[in-house]
Amino acid sequence: MATLKITPSKSRVRERQVAQTGALALPMSLATQRGQGFAAIGKVIEDIHKEQVAIEDNNTLLELIKTASIDIENASAGASQNTDIKFAINAFDKVTKAEKWNGLTKDKRPRVKKQFNEWLNKTKISEYSSIAKSVTKRHVGQTKATNNEYLDTLALKMASSDLTKASNARADFESFFNKAENAVVYGPEGFKKLEDDKLLQAEKNIVLFGAKNHPNYTINNYDAIKKRIGTSLANKAVEAALQKIAADQDFAIKQEKFVEKADIKNKVGTFTELLIRIKNDNDPEYLGKLPTLDLLNDLVSADKINS
């Protein structure tokens, strides 16, 4: 019987080679660097985005400010036309409330709204100061103009020939310059100069009016007057005095002629009336109006008719 004999193979089965993953891995330091690089890129992109948003917000803010600035300047200019500071500030506040620009800011990012409100508050505070200065300047100017007109009137009244009126005007003049509140808009030096100027103006008026009311006194006191009000004005006063004297003399002559003429007309008129009555004695209209001898005698005595 045949026998099957199997001879064992001497070849060996190859074992599967497992990849050494440890050998393929990056070194820890290099991996860390690469991870940080990706993170840095992400941060740069984020920073760029933030910067772009900030620029957009700033551009938006500038557009809002451009529009609002015009409104604020107009409101400030209008308020500055007043002479009462409190009223001016309140009027400005009323038309520059933040709500006025809600329509412009309603769709904007929170940062834009916040920055706009900050700008608005800062701008309004600055305008308060500007309005106060303008209103104060206007008030001072108006006050000075009113005071100047009042003092000019007193300076004229102080030169009045009516002694009572002149005395009252001088008392009012002194009272004005004794009130401290009137000095506020001028300052000590300015107020003293105003008093000296207006007092000199009053004295000039007195001299000029006095030249007409008392021409001889003006001519006789020329040197003293010149020393006080100056040569030019003193010469004008003397000229006015001479004109007054000449006018008075001319008036006296004319007045005398006028009286004489009027007297003649009166006498002729009276005499004519007497003749008419005598002539029309039979006329019913003149009945009982015939002049008697007593009437004629009385008229002669009263110089209504002459001999």
Side-chain angles (χ1 to χ4, degrees), residues 67-88:
T67 302
S69 291
I70 297 174
D71 295 335
I72 290 178
E73 287 177 7
N74 289 337
S76 179
S80 297
Q81 299 302 311
N82 292 283
T83 56
D84 185 295
I85 292 180
K86 185 176 181 181
F87 178 83

Side-chain angles (χ1 to χ4, degrees), residues 146-160 165-177 182 198-199 201-203 205-206 209:
T146 300
N147 289 345
N148 193 63
E149 184 177 352
Y150 173 68
L151 293 172
D152 283 347
T153 300
L154 292 182
L156 285 173
K157 289 182 178 180
M158 287 164 65
S160 174
K165 182 183 293 185
S167 178
N168 290 338
R170 184 170 291 275
D172 291 340
F173 184 90
E174 293 174 352
S175 175
F176 178 89
F177 286 100
N182 289 333
K198 293 305 178 182
L199 188 59
Q201 180 179 331
E203 292 179 357
N205 289 336
I206 291 172
F209 292 154

Side-chain angles (χ1 to χ4, degrees), residues 91-296:
F92 175 74
D93 250 345
K94 187 175 181 180
V95 296
T96 57
K97 294 184 180 296
E99 292 80 4
K100 178 181 178 66
W101 295 281
N102 280 348
L104 295 176
T105 62
K106 66 177 181 178
D107 296 327
K108 305 304 183 288
R109 280 187 276 264
R111 176 169 53 183
V112 174
K113 294 180 180 180
K114 179 176 178 295
Q115 290 179 343
F116 177 77
N117 287 332
E118 290 174 351
W119 170 85
L120 180 61
N121 291 334
K122 182 179 179 180
T123 302
K124 287 182 65 174
I125 290 173
S126 176
E127 288 300 321
Y128 290 150
S129 176
S130 177
I131 292 171
K133 289 179 181 178
S134 297
V135 170
T136 299
K137 183 178 180 180
R138 184 178 295 275
H139 175 71
V140 168
Q142 186 181 67
T143 300
K144 286 184 176 181
T146 300
N147 289 345
N148 193 63
E149 184 177 352
Y150 173 68
L151 293 172
D152 283 347
T153 300
L154 292 182
L156 285 173
K157 289 182 178 180
M158 287 164 65
S160 174
S161 57
D162 185 329
L163 295 182
T164 299
K165 182 183 293 185
S167 178
N168 290 338
R170 184 170 291 275
D172 291 340
F173 184 90
E174 293 174 352
S175 175
F176 178 89
F177 286 100
N178 285 332
K179 293 179 180 179
E181 59 268 28
N182 289 333
V184 173
V185 297
Y186 301 95
E189 295 182 1
F191 199 52
K192 183 64 171 63
K193 184 179 184 304
L194 178 67
E195 182 179 13
D196 292 341
D197 290 346
K198 293 305 178 182
L199 188 59
L200 180 59
Q201 180 179 331
E203 292 179 357
K204 289 178 179 179
N205 289 336
I206 291 172
V207 170
L208 291 175
F209 292 154
K212 297 179 180 180
N213 296 327
H214 309 285
N216 291 325
Y217 174 87
T218 301
I219 294 173
N220 295 334
N221 292 275
Y222 172 77
D223 290 337
I225 293 172
K226 181 176 68 174
K227 185 180 295 185
R228 179 57 186 164
I229 65 175
T231 303
S232 178
L233 198 57
N235 289 341
K236 288 183 179 180
V238 170
E239 182 181 348
L242 292 174
Q243 289 176 351
K244 174 62 175 174
I245 291 174
D248 285 347
Q249 291 175 342
D250 183 54
F251 177 75
I253 293 172
K254 289 180 179 178
Q255 181 72 1
E256 183 178 345
K257 290 182 178 179
F258 173 78
V259 171
E260 180 181 353
K261 188 175 181 180
D263 186 56
I264 291 174
K265 283 186 176 181
N266 287 335
K267 289 178 181 179
V268 171
T270 302
F271 184 69
T272 301
E273 175 65 21
L274 293 174
L275 290 179
I276 291 174
R277 290 186 183 188
I278 293 171
K279 182 180 178 180
N280 297 289
D281 181 46
N282 294 326
D283 191 323
E285 182 180 349
Y286 288 92
L287 186 64
K289 294 183 179 180
L290 182 67
T292 63
L293 292 177
D294 288 337
L295 175 60
L296 293 175

Side-chain angles (χ1 to χ4, degrees), residues 41-76:
I41 292 175
K43 186 175 185 308
V44 169
I45 295 175
E46 183 180 351
D47 289 345
I48 292 175
H49 175 69
K50 288 181 178 179
E51 185 175 337
Q52 288 178 337
V53 171
I55 292 173
E56 289 177 2
D57 285 351
N58 189 63
N59 291 339
T60 301
L61 177 64
L62 291 178
E63 288 298 320
L64 293 177
I65 289 175
K66 186 189 298 183
T67 302
S69 291
I70 297 174
D71 295 335
I72 290 178
E73 287 177 7
N74 289 337
S76 179

